[in-house]
Amino acid sequence: MNSVSGEHPETPAAGSSWSVVESWSVVESWSVVDGRVADLDAHRDRFVQSCRRWVPAARPDQIDNGWTQLCDQIPRQGAWFPRIEVDGTSGVVSWLVRPMPQRGPVARAWVMPRGDQRRLPQVKGPDLRWLAQARATAVRRGCDEAVLVGPDGSVVEGAFTTVVWWRDGALHVVEDGIPRLPSVTEARLRRWCQEVGVQVRSGRLPVATAHDVEVWAVNSVDQVRLLVFPDLEGTSEPVWSHQFVAARAALNRGWEPLPGAG
């Protein structure tokens, strides 16, 4: 991993409990396909705002320099999933260019039995180790994503996805007041709904009834996938609805050229 100033500090072993001395970072990542990216400014804004609030040691000039150097290093051919991070203690800026994961249009959900144990749900980075462990457990159980559930039994979000659902011809999103990561891709999906005249409503989705509606997992890697709950009684095979096909096509077009030298 490249860095602007020094080496990226070591992180604790997986499974260790968090304390005030544990290394943590603010992180941002996005998809690049053949040199094009969707809403890069929104990813940058989320990253910069989180660094400004949570990492007093972060220097704006180092963040700008690291962002520019990362964009310069991303190949303009192929599918990539770059990542930039700022160490929460030292403010060191690091980045990595990774191949983009290739996954299918359906994700199988494993509902976490212990609920949401994140420290900073609204910030990408501090809880990534815990979230990665949750998804690894889901994979061991034959699923693709871990779904976090609130105290009332309603869906909060996935470990690495935002969860939305369809009911009565409207797109539903998790209501304000439930702590979760602000999603760049969800914002794009909302704009598409506005463009095509689809109503967007907020609410709560009881996980016990998730099989009764069409549920999507949304993020910058896959854009949108059908989310199915194989452990819920009454779950049926996924159906390719017209709104899923249309949204998937809309989110995969209109990407802009990546800035930088390439």
Side-chain angles (χ1 to χ4, degrees):
M1 179 176 285
N2 296 307
S3 64
V4 173
S5 57
E7 295 298 322
H8 183 69
E10 292 295 322
T11 55
S16 61
S17 60
W18 180 82
S19 70
V20 294
V21 298
E22 180 184 304
S23 176
W24 61 277
S25 300
V26 171
V27 173
E28 191 60 49
S29 52
W30 62 92
S31 294
V32 178
V33 178
D34 292 336
R36 304 186 76 87
V37 59
D39 215 347
L40 183 61
D41 287 343
H43 284 283
R44 182 186 176 102
D45 288 347
R46 182 174 69 176
F47 179 63
V48 170
Q49 290 172 12
S50 293
C51 290
R52 185 178 299 141
R53 179 174 181 183
W54 296 104
V55 189
R59 288 173 43 187
D61 61 320
Q62 290 188 346
I63 294 174
D64 290 344
N65 189 27
W67 191 277
T68 299
Q69 291 188 49
L70 171 57
C71 288
D72 286 345
Q73 292 179 11
I74 299 170
R76 266 46 179 183
Q77 297 293 325
W80 304 94
F81 191 53
R83 165 174 164 155
I84 187 169
E85 61 185 88
V86 171
D87 182 81
T89 302
S90 68
V92 171
V93 183
S94 309
W95 61 90
L96 180 69
V97 178
R98 309 167 293 179
M100 186 164 65
Q102 301 297 314
R103 298 189 284 241
V106 178
R108 295 160 295 176
W110 171 67
V111 179
M112 292 190 61
R114 292 187 296 166
D116 188 354
Q117 301 177 46
R118 292 172 295 177
R119 299 161 293 173
L120 291 174
Q122 301 96 329
V123 182
K124 186 172 183 174
D127 298 293
L128 282 184
R129 179 175 294 101
W130 183 80
L131 292 168
Q133 292 171 358
R135 186 167 66 180
T137 302
V139 171
R140 288 196 298 271
R141 293 173 177 268
C143 294
D144 307 293
E145 176 65 306
V147 170
L148 285 59
V149 177
D152 64 347
S154 66
V155 172
V156 176
E157 60 186 335
F160 291 93
T161 55
T162 293
V163 176
V164 302
W165 64 100
W166 285 81
R167 179 181 286 125
D168 300 328
L171 178 73
H172 287 68
V173 300
V174 174
E175 65 185 37
D176 295 339
I178 298 179
R180 62 189 183 101
L181 184 69
S183 168
V184 173
T185 310
E186 180 192 311
R188 295 179 57 227
L189 182 59
R190 285 171 175 250
R191 290 197 297 271
W192 171 75
C193 286
Q194 185 177 22
E195 291 169 1
V196 299
V198 171
Q199 187 174 7
V200 178
R201 301 172 183 166
S202 61
R204 300 192 180 202
L205 175 64
V207 71
T209 64
H211 61 277
D212 293 334
V213 294
E214 181 176 343
V215 185
W216 296 355
V218 175
N219 65 11
S220 64
V221 177
D222 309 291
Q223 305 307 308
V224 58
R225 289 186 293 173
L226 290 171
L227 188 64
V228 298
F229 293 78
D231 292 337
L232 292 182
E233 184 177 351
T235 298
S236 58
E237 291 297 314
V239 176
W240 309 108
S241 66
H242 68 90
Q243 61 260 24
F244 176 76
V245 174
R248 191 169 171 85
L251 292 178
N252 279 289
R253 63 173 178 259
W255 294 24
E256 299 179 348
L258 184 71

